[in-house]
Coordinates of all heavy atoms in Angstrom, one line a residue:
I14 N -35.3 -90.0 23.8 CA -35.8 -90.5 22.5 C -35.3 -91.9 22.4 O -36.0 -92.8 22.0 CB -35.4 -89.6 21.3 CG1 -36.2 -88.3 21.4 CG2 -35.8 -90.3 20.0 CD1 -35.8 -87.3 20.4
S15 N -34.0 -92.1 22.7 CA -33.4 -93.4 22.5 C -34.0 -94.5 23.4 O -34.0 -95.7 23.0 CB -31.9 -93.3 22.7 OG -31.3 -92.5 21.8
L16 N -34.5 -94.1 24.6 CA -35.0 -95.1 25.5 C -36.3 -95.7 25.0 O -36.7 -96.8 25.3 CB -35.3 -94.4 26.8 CG -34.0 -94.1 27.6 CD1 -34.4 -93.3 28.9 CD2 -33.2 -95.3 28.0
T17 N -37.0 -94.9 24.1 CA -38.3 -95.4 23.6 C -38.2 -96.0 22.2 O -39.2 -96.4 21.6 CB -39.3 -94.3 23.6 OG1 -38.9 -93.2 22.7 CG2 -39.6 -93.7 24.9
N18 N -37.0 -96.1 21.7 CA -36.7 -96.7 20.4 C -36.5 -98.2 20.5 O -35.4 -98.6 20.9 CB -35.6 -96.0 19.7 CG -35.3 -96.4 18.3 OD1 -36.0 -97.3 17.8 ND2 -34.5 -95.7 17.6
P19 N -37.4 -99.0 20.1 CA -37.2 -100.5 20.2 C -36.0 -101.0 19.3 O -35.4 -102.0 19.6 CB -38.5 -101.1 19.8 CG -39.2 -100.0 19.0 CD -38.7 -98.7 19.5
Q20 N -35.8 -100.3 18.2 CA -34.7 -100.7 17.3 C -33.4 -100.6 17.9 O -32.5 -101.4 17.8 CB -34.8 -99.9 16.0 CG -36.0 -100.3 15.1 CD -36.1 -99.3 13.9 OE1 -35.5 -98.3 13.9 NE2 -36.9 -99.8 12.9
L21 N -33.2 -99.5 18.7 CA -32.0 -99.2 19.3 C -31.8 -100.3 20.5 O -30.6 -100.8 20.6 CB -31.9 -97.8 19.9 CG -30.6 -97.4 20.5 CD1 -29.5 -97.4 19.5 CD2 -30.7 -96.0 21.2
A22 N -32.8 -100.6 21.2 CA -32.7 -101.6 22.2 C -32.3 -103.0 21.6 O -31.5 -103.7 22.2 CB -34.0 -101.7 23.0
L23 N -32.9 -103.3 20.5 CA -32.6 -104.6 19.9 C -31.1 -104.6 19.3 O -30.4 -105.6 19.4 CB -33.5 -104.9 18.7 CG -34.9 -105.3 19.1 CD1 -35.8 -105.4 17.9 CD2 -34.9 -106.6 19.9
F24 N -30.7 -103.4 18.8 CA -29.3 -103.3 18.4 C -28.4 -103.6 19.5 O -27.4 -104.3 19.4 CB -29.1 -101.9 17.8 CG -27.6 -101.6 17.5 CD1 -27.0 -102.2 16.4 CD2 -26.9 -100.8 18.4 CE1 -25.6 -102.0 16.2 CE2 -25.6 -100.6 18.1 CZ -24.9 -101.2 17.0
F25 N -28.6 -102.9 20.7 CA -27.7 -103.1 21.8 C -27.8 -104.5 22.3 O -26.7 -105.1 22.7 CB -28.0 -102.1 22.9 CG -27.4 -100.8 22.7 CD1 -28.2 -99.6 22.4 CD2 -26.0 -100.6 22.7 CE1 -27.6 -98.4 22.2 CE2 -25.4 -99.4 22.4 CZ -26.2 -98.3 22.2
L26 N -28.9 -105.1 22.3 CA -29.0 -106.5 22.8 C -28.3 -107.5 21.9 O -27.8 -108.5 22.3 CB -30.5 -106.9 22.9 CG -31.3 -106.3 24.1 CD1 -32.7 -106.7 24.0 CD2 -30.7 -106.8 25.4
A27 N -28.2 -107.1 20.6 CA -27.5 -108.0 19.7 C -26.0 -107.6 19.6 O -25.2 -108.5 19.4 CB -28.1 -107.8 18.3
F28 N -25.6 -106.4 19.8 CA -24.3 -105.9 19.6 C -23.4 -106.0 20.9 O -22.2 -106.5 20.8 CB -24.3 -104.5 19.1 CG -23.0 -103.9 18.7 CD1 -22.3 -104.4 17.6 CD2 -22.4 -102.9 19.5 CE1 -21.1 -103.9 17.2 CE2 -21.2 -102.4 19.1 CZ -20.5 -102.9 18.0
L29 N -23.9 -105.6 22.0 CA -23.0 -105.5 23.2 C -22.6 -106.8 23.8 O -21.5 -106.9 24.3 CB -23.7 -104.7 24.3 CG -23.8 -103.1 24.0 CD1 -24.4 -102.5 25.2 CD2 -22.4 -102.6 23.8
P30 N -23.4 -107.9 23.8 CA -22.9 -109.1 24.4 C -21.6 -109.7 23.9 O -20.9 -110.3 24.7 CB -24.1 -110.1 24.2 CG -25.3 -109.2 24.0 CD -24.8 -108.0 23.3
Q31 N -21.2 -109.4 22.7 CA -20.0 -109.9 22.2 C -18.8 -109.3 22.9 O -17.7 -109.8 22.8 CB -19.9 -109.7 20.7 CG -19.9 -108.3 20.2 CD -19.9 -108.2 18.7 OE1 -19.5 -109.2 18.0 NE2 -20.4 -107.1 18.2
F32 N -19.0 -108.1 23.5 CA -17.9 -107.5 24.2 C -17.9 -107.8 25.7 O -17.0 -107.2 26.5 CB -18.0 -105.9 24.0 CG -17.9 -105.6 22.6 CD1 -19.0 -105.2 21.9 CD2 -16.7 -105.6 21.9 CE1 -18.9 -104.8 20.5 CE2 -16.5 -105.3 20.6 CZ -17.7 -104.9 19.9
V33 N -18.8 -108.6 26.2 CA -18.9 -108.9 27.6 C -18.2 -110.3 27.8 O -18.5 -111.2 27.2 CB -20.3 -109.0 28.1 CG1 -20.4 -109.5 29.5 CG2 -21.0 -107.6 28.0
V34 N -17.2 -110.3 28.8 CA -16.5 -111.5 29.1 C -16.9 -111.9 30.5 O -16.7 -111.1 31.4 CB -15.0 -111.3 29.0 CG1 -14.2 -112.5 29.3 CG2 -14.6 -110.8 27.6
T35 N -17.4 -113.1 30.7 CA -17.9 -113.5 32.0 C -16.8 -113.6 33.0 O -17.1 -113.4 34.2 CB -18.7 -114.9 31.9 OG1 -17.8 -115.8 31.3 CG2 -19.9 -114.7 31.0
G36 N -15.6 -113.8 32.7 CA -14.5 -113.9 33.7 C -13.9 -112.6 34.1 O -13.0 -112.6 34.9
R37 N -14.4 -111.5 33.6 CA -13.8 -110.2 33.9 C -14.7 -109.4 34.8 O -14.7 -108.2 34.7 CB -13.5 -109.4 32.6 CG -12.4 -110.0 31.8 CD -12.0 -109.1 30.8 NE -10.9 -109.7 30.0 CZ -10.4 -109.1 28.9 NH1 -10.9 -108.0 28.5 NH2 -9.5 -109.7 28.3
G38 N -15.3 -110.0 35.7 CA -16.2 -109.2 36.7 C -17.6 -109.4 36.4 O -18.0 -110.1 35.5
P39 N -18.4 -108.6 37.1 CA -19.9 -108.8 37.0 C -20.3 -108.3 35.6 O -19.9 -107.3 35.1 CB -20.5 -107.8 38.0 CG -19.3 -107.5 38.9 CD -18.1 -107.7 38.2
V40 N -21.3 -109.1 35.0 CA -21.8 -108.8 33.7 C -22.5 -107.4 33.7 O -22.3 -106.6 32.8 CB -22.7 -109.9 33.2 CG1 -23.4 -109.5 31.9 CG2 -21.9 -111.2 33.0
W41 N -23.2 -107.1 34.7 CA -24.0 -105.8 34.8 C -23.0 -104.7 34.8 O -23.3 -103.6 34.1 CB -24.9 -105.8 36.0 CG -24.2 -105.7 37.3 CD1 -23.9 -106.8 38.1 CD2 -23.7 -104.6 38.0 NE1 -23.2 -106.4 39.2 CE2 -23.1 -105.0 39.2 CE3 -23.7 -103.2 37.7 CZ2 -22.5 -104.1 40.1 CZ3 -23.1 -102.3 38.6 CH2 -22.5 -102.8 39.8
A42 N -21.8 -104.8 35.4 CA -20.9 -103.7 35.4 C -20.2 -103.5 34.1 O -20.0 -102.4 33.7 CB -19.8 -104.0 36.5
Q43 N -20.0 -104.6 33.3 CA -19.5 -104.5 32.0 C -20.5 -103.8 31.1 O -20.1 -102.9 30.3 CB -19.1 -105.8 31.5 CG -17.9 -106.4 32.2 CD -17.5 -107.8 31.6 OE1 -17.3 -107.9 30.4 NE2 -17.5 -108.8 32.5
F44 N -21.8 -104.2 31.2 CA -22.8 -103.6 30.4 C -22.9 -102.1 30.7 O -23.1 -101.2 29.8 CB -24.2 -104.2 30.6 CG -24.4 -105.4 29.6 CD1 -24.5 -106.7 30.1 CD2 -24.6 -105.1 28.3 CE1 -24.7 -107.7 29.2 CE2 -24.8 -106.2 27.4 CZ -24.9 -107.5 27.9
L45 N -22.8 -101.8 32.0 CA -22.9 -100.4 32.4 C -21.7 -99.6 31.9 O -21.9 -98.5 31.4 CB -22.9 -100.3 34.0 CG -23.0 -98.9 34.6 CD1 -24.4 -98.3 34.2 CD2 -22.9 -99.0 36.1
T46 N -20.6 -100.1 31.9 CA -19.4 -99.5 31.4 C -19.5 -99.2 29.9 O -19.2 -98.1 29.4 CB -18.1 -100.3 31.7 OG1 -18.0 -100.5 33.1 CG2 -16.9 -99.6 31.1
L47 N -20.0 -100.3 29.2 CA -20.2 -100.1 27.7 C -21.2 -99.1 27.4 O -21.1 -98.2 26.5 CB -20.5 -101.5 27.1 CG -19.4 -102.5 27.1 CD1 -19.9 -103.9 26.7 CD2 -18.3 -102.1 26.1
G48 N -22.3 -99.1 28.1 CA -23.4 -98.1 27.9 C -22.9 -96.7 28.2 O -23.2 -95.8 27.5
L49 N -22.2 -96.5 29.3 CA -21.7 -95.2 29.6 C -20.7 -94.7 28.6 O -20.6 -93.5 28.2 CB -21.1 -95.2 31.0 CG -22.1 -95.3 32.2 CD1 -21.3 -95.4 33.5 CD2 -23.0 -94.1 32.2
T50 N -19.8 -95.6 28.1 CA -18.9 -95.2 27.0 C -19.6 -94.8 25.8 O -19.3 -93.8 25.2 CB -18.0 -96.4 26.7 OG1 -17.3 -96.8 27.9 CG2 -16.9 -96.1 25.7
F51 N -20.6 -95.5 25.4 CA -21.4 -95.2 24.2 C -22.1 -93.8 24.4 O -22.0 -92.9 23.5 CB -22.5 -96.2 24.0 CG -23.5 -95.8 22.9 CD1 -23.1 -95.9 21.6 CD2 -24.7 -95.3 23.2 CE1 -24.0 -95.5 20.5 CE2 -25.6 -94.9 22.2 CZ -25.2 -95.0 20.9
N52 N -22.6 -93.6 25.6 CA -23.3 -92.3 25.9 C -22.3 -91.1 25.9 O -22.6 -90.0 25.4 CB -24.0 -92.3 27.2 CG -25.3 -93.0 27.1 OD1 -26.0 -93.0 26.0 ND2 -25.8 -93.7 28.1
A53 N -21.1 -91.3 26.4 CA -20.0 -90.3 26.4 C -19.6 -90.0 25.0 O -19.5 -88.8 24.6 CB -18.8 -90.7 27.2
C54 N -19.5 -91.0 24.1 CA -19.1 -90.8 22.7 C -20.2 -90.1 22.0 O -20.0 -89.1 21.2 CB -18.8 -92.1 22.0 SG -17.3 -92.9 22.6
S55 N -21.5 -90.5 22.2 CA -22.6 -89.8 21.6 C -22.7 -88.3 22.0 O -23.0 -87.5 21.2 CB -23.9 -90.5 22.0 OG -23.9 -91.8 21.4
L56 N -22.5 -88.1 23.3 CA -22.5 -86.7 23.8 C -21.5 -85.8 23.1 O -21.7 -84.7 22.7 CB -22.3 -86.7 25.3 CG -22.3 -85.3 26.0 CD1 -23.7 -84.6 25.8 CD2 -21.9 -85.4 27.4
S57 N -20.2 -86.4 23.0 CA -19.2 -85.6 22.4 C -19.5 -85.3 20.9 O -19.3 -84.2 20.4 CB -17.8 -86.3 22.5 OG -17.8 -87.5 21.9
V58 N -20.0 -86.3 20.2 CA -20.4 -86.0 18.8 C -21.5 -85.0 18.7 O -21.5 -84.1 17.9 CB -20.8 -87.4 18.1 CG1 -21.5 -87.1 16.8 CG2 -19.6 -88.3 18.0
M59 N -22.5 -85.2 19.5 CA -23.7 -84.2 19.5 C -23.2 -82.8 19.9 O -23.8 -81.8 19.3 CB -24.8 -84.7 20.4 CG -25.5 -85.9 19.9 SD -26.1 -85.6 18.2 CE -26.3 -87.3 17.6
L60 N -22.3 -82.7 20.8 CA -21.8 -81.3 21.2 C -21.1 -80.7 20.0 O -21.2 -79.5 19.7 CB -20.9 -81.4 22.4 CG -21.6 -81.6 23.7 CD1 -20.6 -81.8 24.9 CD2 -22.6 -80.5 24.1
C61 N -20.3 -81.5 19.3 CA -19.6 -81.0 18.1 C -20.6 -80.6 17.1 O -20.4 -79.5 16.4 CB -18.6 -82.0 17.6 SG -17.2 -82.3 18.6
V62 N -21.6 -81.4 16.8 CA -22.6 -81.0 15.8 C -23.3 -79.7 16.2 O -23.5 -78.9 15.4 CB -23.6 -82.2 15.7 CG1 -24.8 -81.7 14.9 CG2 -22.9 -83.4 15.0
A63 N -23.6 -79.6 17.5 CA -24.3 -78.4 18.0 C -23.4 -77.1 17.8 O -23.9 -76.1 17.4 CB -24.7 -78.5 19.5
V64 N -22.2 -77.2 18.1 CA -21.3 -76.1 17.9 C -21.1 -75.7 16.5 O -21.2 -74.6 16.1 CB -19.9 -76.4 18.6 CG1 -18.9 -75.4 18.2 CG2 -20.0 -76.5 20.1
I65 N -21.0 -76.7 15.6 CA -20.8 -76.5 14.2 C -22.1 -75.9 13.6 O -22.0 -74.9 12.8 CB -20.4 -77.8 13.5 CG1 -18.9 -78.1 13.9 CG2 -20.5 -77.6 11.9 CD1 -18.5 -79.5 13.4
T66 N -23.2 -76.5 13.9 CA -24.4 -75.9 13.3 C -24.8 -74.6 13.9 O -25.4 -73.7 13.2 CB -25.6 -76.9 13.6 OG1 -25.8 -77.2 14.9 CG2 -25.4 -78.2 12.8
G67 N -24.4 -74.3 15.2 CA -24.7 -73.0 15.7 C -23.8 -72.0 15.0 O -24.3 -70.9 14.7
S68 N -22.6 -72.3 14.7 CA -21.7 -71.4 14.0 C -22.2 -71.2 12.6 O -22.2 -70.1 12.1 CB -20.3 -71.9 14.0 OG -19.8 -72.1 15.3
A69 N -22.6 -72.3 12.0 CA -23.2 -72.2 10.6 C -24.4 -71.4 10.6 O -24.7 -70.6 9.6 CB -23.4 -73.6 10.0
G70 N -25.3 -71.5 11.6 CA -26.5 -70.7 11.6 C -26.2 -69.2 11.8 O -26.9 -68.4 11.1
R71 N -25.2 -68.9 12.6 CA -24.9 -67.5 12.7 C -24.3 -67.0 11.4 O -24.5 -65.8 11.0 CB -23.9 -67.3 13.9 CG -24.6 -67.3 15.2 CD -23.7 -66.9 16.3 NE -22.6 -67.9 16.5 CZ -22.7 -69.0 17.2 NH1 -23.9 -69.4 17.7 NH2 -21.7 -69.8 17.3
A72 N -23.5 -67.8 10.7 CA -22.9 -67.4 9.5 C -23.9 -67.2 8.4 O -23.8 -66.4 7.5 CB -21.8 -68.4 9.1
R73 N -24.9 -68.1 8.5 CA -26.0 -68.0 7.4 C -26.7 -66.7 7.4 O -27.2 -66.3 6.4 CB -27.0 -69.2 7.7 CG -28.0 -69.3 6.6 CD -28.8 -70.6 6.7 NE -29.6 -70.7 5.6 CZ -30.9 -71.0 5.6 NH1 -31.5 -71.2 6.8 NH2 -31.6 -71.1 4.5
I74 N -26.8 -66.1 8.6 CA -27.5 -64.8 8.7 C -26.8 -63.8 7.8 O -27.4 -62.9 7.2 CB -27.5 -64.3 10.1 CG1 -28.4 -65.3 11.0 CG2 -28.1 -62.9 10.3 CD1 -28.3 -65.1 12.4
G75 N -25.5 -64.0 7.5 CA -24.7 -63.1 6.7 C -25.2 -63.0 5.3 O -25.0 -62.0 4.7
G76 N -25.7 -64.0 4.7 CA -26.2 -63.8 3.3 C -26.1 -65.0 2.4 O -26.0 -66.2 2.8
V77 N -26.1 -64.7 1.1 CA -26.3 -65.6 0.0 C -25.0 -66.4 -0.2 O -25.1 -67.6 -0.5 CB -26.6 -64.8 -1.3 CG1 -26.7 -65.8 -2.4 CG2 -27.9 -64.1 -1.1
R78 N -23.9 -65.9 0.0 CA -22.6 -66.6 -0.2 C -22.5 -67.9 0.6 O -22.1 -68.9 0.1 CB -21.4 -65.7 0.1 CG -20.1 -66.3 -0.1 CD -19.8 -66.4 -1.6 NE -18.5 -67.0 -1.8 CZ -18.2 -67.8 -2.8 NH1 -19.1 -68.1 -3.7 NH2 -17.0 -68.3 -2.9
F79 N -22.9 -67.8 1.8 CA -22.9 -69.0 2.7 C -23.8 -70.1 2.1 O -23.4 -71.3 2.0 CB -23.4 -68.7 4.1 CG -23.4 -69.9 5.0 CD1 -22.3 -70.4 5.5 CD2 -24.6 -70.5 5.3 CE1 -22.3 -71.5 6.3 CE2 -24.7 -71.6 6.1 CZ -23.5 -72.1 6.6
R80 N -25.0 -69.8 1.7 CA -25.9 -70.8 1.1 C -25.3 -71.4 -0.2 O -25.4 -72.6 -0.5 CB -27.2 -70.1 0.8 CG -28.1 -70.1 2.0 CD -29.4 -69.5 1.7 NE -29.3 -68.1 2.0 CZ -30.1 -67.1 1.6 NH1 -31.1 -67.4 0.9 NH2 -29.8 -65.9 1.9
Q81 N -24.6 -70.6 -1.0 CA -24.0 -71.1 -2.2 C -22.9 -72.1 -1.9 O -22.8 -73.1 -2.5 CB -23.4 -69.9 -3.1 CG -24.5 -69.0 -3.7 CD -23.9 -67.8 -4.3 OE1 -22.8 -67.4 -4.1 NE2 -24.7 -67.2 -5.3
V82 N -22.1 -71.7 -0.9 CA -21.0 -72.6 -0.5 C -21.6 -73.9 0.1 O -21.1 -75.0 -0.3 CB -20.1 -71.9 0.5 CG1 -19.1 -72.9 1.1 CG2 -19.3 -70.8 -0.1
M83 N -22.6 -73.8 0.9 CA -23.2 -75.0 1.5 C -23.9 -75.9 0.4 O -23.8 -77.2 0.4 CB -24.3 -74.7 2.5 CG -23.6 -74.1 3.8 SD -22.3 -75.1 4.5 CE -23.2 -76.5 5.0
R84 N -24.5 -75.3 -0.6 CA -25.1 -76.1 -1.7 C -24.0 -76.8 -2.5 O -24.1 -78.0 -2.9 CB -25.9 -75.2 -2.6 CG -27.2 -74.9 -2.0 CD -28.1 -74.1 -3.0 NE -29.3 -73.6 -2.3 CZ -29.9 -72.5 -2.5 NH1 -29.4 -71.6 -3.3 NH2 -31.0 -72.2 -1.8
A85 N -22.9 -76.1 -2.7 CA -21.8 -76.7 -3.5 C -21.2 -77.9 -2.7 O -20.9 -78.9 -3.2 CB -20.7 -75.6 -3.8
L86 N -21.0 -77.7 -1.4 CA -20.5 -78.8 -0.5 C -21.4 -80.0 -0.5 O -20.9 -81.1 -0.6 CB -20.2 -78.3 0.9 CG -19.0 -77.3 1.0 CD1 -18.9 -76.8 2.5 CD2 -17.7 -78.0 0.7
A87 N -22.7 -79.7 -0.4 CA -23.7 -80.8 -0.4 C -23.6 -81.5 -1.7 O -23.7 -82.8 -1.8 CB -25.1 -80.3 -0.1
G88 N -23.6 -80.8 -2.8 CA -23.5 -81.4 -4.1 C -22.3 -82.2 -4.3 O -22.3 -83.4 -4.8
L89 N -21.1 -81.7 -3.8 CA -19.9 -82.5 -3.9 C -20.0 -83.7 -3.0 O -19.5 -84.8 -3.5 CB -18.7 -81.6 -3.4 CG -17.4 -82.2 -3.4 CD1 -16.9 -82.5 -4.9 CD2 -16.3 -81.3 -2.8
A90 N -20.6 -83.6 -1.9 CA -20.7 -84.8 -1.0 C -21.5 -85.9 -1.7 O -21.2 -87.1 -1.7 CB -21.3 -84.4 0.3
F91 N -22.7 -85.5 -2.3 CA -23.5 -86.5 -3.0 C -22.8 -87.0 -4.2 O -22.9 -88.2 -4.5 CB -24.8 -85.8 -3.4 CG -25.8 -85.7 -2.3 CD1 -26.3 -84.5 -2.0 CD2 -26.2 -86.8 -1.6 CE1 -27.2 -84.4 -0.9 CE2 -27.1 -86.7 -0.5 CZ -27.6 -85.5 -0.2
L92 N -22.0 -86.2 -4.9 CA -21.2 -86.7 -6.0 C -20.2 -87.8 -5.6 O -20.0 -88.8 -6.2 CB -20.5 -85.6 -6.8 CG -19.8 -85.9 -8.0 CD1 -20.7 -86.5 -9.1 CD2 -19.1 -84.6 -8.6
V93 N -19.5 -87.5 -4.5 CA -18.5 -88.4 -4.0 C -19.2 -89.7 -3.6 O -18.7 -90.8 -3.9 CB -17.7 -87.8 -2.8 CG1 -16.9 -88.8 -2.1 CG2 -16.8 -86.7 -3.3
L94 N -20.3 -89.6 -2.9 CA -21.1 -90.8 -2.5 C -21.5 -91.6 -3.7 O -21.5 -92.9 -3.7 CB -22.2 -90.5 -1.6 CG -21.9 -90.0 -0.2 CD1 -23.2 -89.5 0.5 CD2 -21.3 -91.1 0.6
A95 N -22.0 -91.0 -4.8 CA -22.4 -91.6 -6.0 C -21.3 -92.4 -6.6 O -21.4 -93.5 -7.1 CB -23.0 -90.7 -6.9
V96 N -20.1 -91.7 -6.7 CA -18.9 -92.3 -7.4 C -18.5 -93.5 -6.5 O -18.2 -94.6 -7.1 CB -17.8 -91.3 -7.5 CG1 -16.5 -92.0 -7.9 CG2 -18.2 -90.3 -8.6
K97 N -18.5 -93.4 -5.2 CA -18.0 -94.5 -4.3 C -19.0 -95.7 -4.5 O -18.6 -96.8 -4.5 CB -18.0 -94.0 -2.9 CG -17.5 -95.2 -2.0 CD -17.3 -94.7 -0.6 CE -16.9 -95.8 0.4 NZ -16.8 -97.1 -0.1
S98 N -20.3 -95.4 -4.5 CA -21.3 -96.5 -4.7 C -21.1 -97.2 -6.0 O -21.2 -98.4 -6.1 CB -22.7 -95.9 -4.6 OG -23.0 -95.4 -3.3
G99 N -20.8 -96.4 -7.1 CA -20.6 -97.0 -8.4 C -19.4 -97.8 -8.4 O -19.3 -98.9 -9.0
V100 N -18.3 -97.4 -7.8 CA -17.0 -98.1 -7.7 C -17.3 -99.4 -6.9 O -16.8 -100.5 -7.3 CB -15.9 -97.3 -7.1 CG1 -14.7 -98.1 -6.8 CG2 -15.5 -96.2 -8.1
D101 N -18.0 -99.3 -5.8 CA -18.3 -100.5 -5.0 C -19.1 -101.5 -5.8 O -18.9 -102.7 -5.6 CB -19.0 -100.1 -3.7 CG -18.0 -99.4 -2.7 OD1 -16.8 -99.5 -2.9 OD2 -18.5 -98.8 -1.8
L102 N -20.0 -101.1 -6.6 CA -20.9 -102.0 -7.3 C -20.1 -102.7 -8.4 O -20.3 -103.9 -8.7 CB -22.0 -101.2 -8.0 CG -23.2 -100.9 -7.0 CD1 -24.2 -100.0 -7.8 CD2 -23.8 -102.2 -6.5
L103 N -19.1 -102.0 -9.0 CA -18.4 -102.5 -10.1 C -17.2 -103.4 -9.6 O -16.8 -104.4 -10.3 CB -17.8 -101.4 -11.0 CG -18.8 -100.6 -11.8 CD1 -18.1 -99.5 -12.5 CD2 -19.6 -101.5 -12.7
G104 N -16.7 -103.1 -8.5 CA -15.6 -103.9 -8.1 C -15.8 -104.6 -6.8 O -15.4 -105.3 -6.1

């Protein structure tokens, strides 16, 4: 999906060159290293998300209590974000 996303390509074209130093070896090798590092980090995050959501999905089969806890956590997260946005706007 990321390969066909032009916004992601533009982001990398704008973001990665600032980390490439011409005196430290071939530019293509530095881009390759940065790209592989990004992919490794993305893979680790996605694996964690998959494990957590898989566990949550199995727990959800258990019943209503899980849904109540998840709604409360989501509400709390939105409340924290609203307060933080308000504080940022004021200060």
Side-chain angles (χ1 to χ4, degrees):
I14 293 172
S15 296
L16 290 175
T17 60
N18 185 352
Q20 293 173 340
L21 186 63
L23 287 175
F24 169 76
F25 278 114
L26 286 173
F28 184 70
L29 285 183
Q31 65 184 334
F32 298 106
V33 174
V34 179
T35 55
R37 291 194 180 171
V40 173
W41 67 267
Q43 293 181 52
F44 271 111
L45 181 65
T46 303
L47 290 169
L49 291 174
T50 302
F51 173 79
N52 283 328
C54 292
S55 296
L56 178 65
S57 63
V58 168
M59 291 301 159
L60 285 175
C61 289
V62 168
V64 168
I65 291 169
T66 55
S68 300
R71 284 188 295 279
R73 185 171 187 227
I74 295 170
V77 176
R78 181 73 178 143
F79 177 76
R80 279 181 269 166
Q81 290 173 340
V82 169
M83 291 308 293
R84 284 184 185 142
L86 288 174
L89 180 64
F91 282 123
L92 183 62
V93 168
L94 288 171
V96 169
K97 181 173 177 1
S98 294
V100 168
D101 288 345
L102 284 175
L103 294 176

